[in-house]
Amino acid sequence: MAVNAIVRVDNNNVEQAIRVLKKKIEREGLIRELKRHAFYEKPTEVRRKQKLKAQRKQQKLQYKSRSRY
């Protein structure tokens, strides 16, 4: 994943430029991706996490559909 984040520093306001850069990086999901690849994860662990995520998503959808009526 390539991210070309360009941030201009106006009037020597480096603090604001850093904040803008952090927001851009966060929106791109770069930090999340780096954390995910920081350590090796066994394929069984990846499948387990995906299964848990799917279960949580289903529960959330069921809860939303119940609360409508």
Side-chain angles (χ1 to χ4, degrees):
M1 173 171 27
V3 178
N4 294 327
I6 298 171
V7 179
R8 271 189 357 174
V9 179
D10 295 326
N11 299 327
N12 288 332
N13 196 350
V14 178
E15 299 297 324
Q16 183 182 8
I18 290 174
R19 273 183 271 151
V20 171
L21 179 65
K22 283 182 181 180
K23 282 183 184 179
K24 283 186 177 186
I25 290 174
E26 188 176 327
R27 264 189 248 125
E28 291 290 329
L30 186 65
I31 295 174
R32 196 176 324 119
E33 193 72 18
L34 287 173
K35 286 182 181 180
R36 195 169 69 89
H37 289 293
F39 300 99
Y40 177 75
E41 226 175 359
K42 290 183 178 179
T44 54
E45 192 69 22
V46 172
R47 286 193 299 268
R48 188 179 72 78
K49 283 185 179 182
Q50 288 174 345
K51 185 177 177 183
L52 288 172
K53 185 177 178 182
Q55 287 175 350
R56 285 193 299 269
K57 186 174 181 179
Q58 281 294 349
Q59 289 173 349
K60 187 176 179 181
L61 288 173
Q62 286 176 355
Y63 176 75
K64 283 185 176 183
S65 67
R66 284 187 207 147
S67 63
R68 289 184 184 174
Y69 301 108

